[in-house]
Amino acid sequence: MPRSSGTLSQTSAARGGPGPCNRAGPSQSQPARPTGASQKPPQENGSSSSVDVELDHMVINLVKTVLNLSVNKHLIKKADLVKNALGGNGRLFAKVIEQAKEELADVFGYKLVETERNKSFILVSTVTCGSVMDMSEDYRRKYTLLYLVLGYIYMKNGDVSEQGLWDFLAKLNISDEGEHSFFGDVRKLITETFVKQAYLVRTKQVVEGMNDDRFFYGWGARAEHELSKKDILESICKLMGKPSICYITQHAAAYGLNDDDEGDDSMDVTQN
């Protein structure tokens, strides 16, 4: 039985989707799903058709719920999907979620990705941006700050301390205190917004020799799927006037090479 994808396409057109471009993916109709009626005795037709209709209804509900919950690009919890889309019936979740993933990819151009944290999902766009000019003004400003933060973390080979991050931004005249004239509330964006959107992971760690626990930042699941480490590496090296091969570890990770050779593989901006 063909699924009614037209209604879902209209839902997507009325809202901005996740991903750097904040736009929905391509819309196209889904091929009809065979019900297998010709292979079953006539007395089973009614029951089979009813099951298919119910399954299609669950898939549509799940897709709509995912789109609604992804408006702010926050993590989508499995428990919320089961509760809001399946009426609390989690037994069919595995089957329904797989069909919903196909619908989101084929109709909307989105990829539903399961994260390793708290049984949750993120919705990312498979439609890449050709330029930051494709973004809205508000998102372009936030994305610029995010790009700087993720770039710093990447060039420091992974997790960085919160204080080290503030020190780095201070060197760029970006203060975490008060409102920034271009970025707005920098502290809130980094410690709350980007973390909730899974661009950043903020963890508390015990540092030897320190009385207080310290917070550290790393790349989140959304950053791993939406941003290109190769582009970040080349952009930063262009600003610094150095070829990317100077940073062996980062170059190897970005281009899929080994990093056995010696080299300066850490951006010397500030100590964390």
Side-chain angles (χ1 to χ4, degrees), residues 66 75-76 101 104 110-116 120-125 221-222 225:
V66 167
L75 287 171
I76 304 170
K101 286 180 179 179
L104 287 164
Y110 293 151
K111 182 179 181 180
L112 187 62
V113 180
E114 186 170 5
T115 71
E116 298 178 355
S120 56
F121 299 84
I122 57 173
L123 193 63
V124 298
S125 176
R222 189 181 297 279
H225 286 275

Side-chain angles (χ1 to χ4, degrees), residues 51-232:
V51 171
D52 285 340
V53 169
E54 183 178 1
L55 182 60
D56 280 346
H57 181 67
M58 287 184 175
V59 172
I60 292 174
N61 276 347
L62 190 59
V63 170
K64 287 182 177 180
T65 302
V66 167
L67 293 174
N68 288 332
L69 292 178
S70 66
V71 170
N72 295 322
K73 305 179 73 171
H74 292 176
L75 287 171
I76 304 170
K77 297 181 180 179
K78 176 183 176 180
D80 290 337
L81 293 179
V82 173
K83 176 182 177 181
N84 298 323
L86 306 182
N89 182 6
R91 292 176 300 176
L92 295 176
F93 181 80
K95 185 174 184 179
V96 175
I97 194 68
E98 289 305 315
Q99 294 192 31
K101 286 180 179 179
E102 294 180 6
E103 195 87 1
L104 287 164
D106 295 341
V107 178
F108 301 102
Y110 293 151
K111 182 179 181 180
L112 187 62
V113 180
E114 186 170 5
T115 71
E116 298 178 355
R117 298 167 60 87
N118 304 324
K119 296 182 178 179
S120 56
F121 299 84
I122 57 173
L123 193 63
V124 298
S125 176
T126 58
V127 181
T128 57
C129 281
S131 167
V132 293
M133 299 308 295
D134 292 334
M135 305 174 186
S136 65
E137 176 65 23
D138 178 65
Y139 192 82
R140 189 183 309 136
R141 296 184 180 207
K142 294 177 181 177
Y143 190 78
T144 301
L145 176 63
L146 175 65
Y147 202 86
L148 289 172
V149 172
L150 290 174
Y152 174 69
I153 294 172
Y154 182 65
M155 297 303 290
K156 297 297 286 187
N157 295 327
D159 292 353
V160 299
S161 70
E162 189 168 62
Q163 188 57 53
L165 179 57
W166 298 141
D167 291 343
F168 163 70
L169 292 175
K171 291 178 181 291
L172 302 177
N173 294 319
I174 302 174
S175 173
D176 63 305
E177 298 180 359
E179 288 282 323
H180 188 273
S181 60
F182 186 80
F183 299 118
D185 193 334
V186 172
R187 176 172 286 273
K188 183 178 181 180
L189 283 172
I190 292 176
T191 62
E192 296 181 27
T193 304
F194 295 155
V195 172
K196 289 180 179 178
Q197 293 177 340
Y199 282 115
L200 294 176
V201 175
R202 186 174 188 249
T203 57
K204 182 184 291 187
Q205 299 180 21
V206 178
V207 179
E208 187 176 355
M210 297 290 182
N211 294 327
D212 300 325
D213 295 341
R214 300 296 177 91
F215 285 103
F216 287 77
Y217 290 89
W219 276 45
R222 189 181 297 279
E224 295 285 356
H225 286 275
E226 286 187 0
L227 280 86
S228 166
K229 292 179 178 178
K230 184 187 301 183
D231 290 345
I232 285 183

